[in-house]
Amino acid sequence: MIEQNQKKIINQQFYSYVMPSMITMLLSGFYAIVDGLFVGNAVGNHGLAAINLVYPIQVILSASALGIGIGGAVIYSACLGKEDQKGMTHALASTMTLLVSIGILLPIGLRLALPWLLELLGTTPQLYDHAHSYIVIALLGGILPVLGNGLNPILRNQGNTYLATIFMSCGLITNILLDYVFVFVFAMGLSGAALATILAQGIVAFLSILYLWKHDFHTLQRQDFVPSISLIKKIASIGCSPFGQTLAPSLIIVLTNWMCLRYGGNDAVTIYSVVSYILCSAQLLLQGIGDGIQPLISRNYSAKRFHEIHYLHQKALNLTLIFSLFLLFAIWWMKEPLISLFGVSEA
């Protein structure tokens, strides 16, 4: 059993980690929504549909980054619970190495496979140019979202939950401003929207690296940045769950887009794009609950405090149910204003 004083401490830790994590994940979902808002109003229905078709390609990058970032962060927290300083530094530096490697190699691979991917995703001739112009820019700067998303879990597990949220907020504000300049002022269309997103995520990556360099990286040795095979396996085994959790909703988007194209054409994809934007943000908000308790569970697991882990699980489940019901009624009540925001035509 857990004593009342201990419950009070756990509750404080729970909300200090979970609430910033939820906000951070929600803000990360707003990147795509912001693009949709500007493109929908400036380019129109085809622009919205094109972004929705290629969105799963972007998710491959963010899912890979989260998988590596959370995998490394869990090992970092486990070493912290054991007071293993050497293990902490190796996990931190190796995670950075893996993120940089994936950030370079994965966009190159996706770019080479792009014609096949666009065909697989069902891109129609009317949407091809829009989709291609958007995703090419996104892949050219692919290392920036990988670093921005991948380093965020490290910051949270170090206890810098509010700092991680501030960095993500800076990126979102930058995205909004650049979207306005590139899409409306310079009329760059979907290329401008993609460029705004990449540069904004670059701000998040830069701030994260700057902080980690000042507090951690400058003291590390060169050998710390060389991940061992056993560490890579551990990060992969832990990271496969957040990777799959992040990627799974985009697979549903792909399947639904296929059906929309088959039975309703481009207009049906446009309609579904609004649905997927809103659904993605809701899912990321809820995912933030799980990501938020992860550092606490890792530390308690290392210290073999299993009653505390059970208590954290129960609190996370209750909070998830509460927010799910809240989102259900909020979206139903706000459905008409939400639709009008994206500039979808009346037809």
Side-chain angles (χ1 to χ4, degrees), residues 13-23 288-289 292-293 296 319:
Q13 292 176 336
F14 178 86
Y15 290 110
S16 67
Y17 275 84
V18 168
M19 299 312 293
S21 175
M22 292 175 68
I23 295 171
I289 299 174
I293 65 168
L296 300 175
L319 189 63

Side-chain angles (χ1 to χ4, degrees), residues 11 29 41 52 79 135 181 222 233-234 258 303:
N11 288 339
N41 286 281
N52 194 51
C79 293
I135 199 60
V181 173
R222 185 177 299 177
K233 288 181 179 179
K234 284 182 181 179
W258 286 348

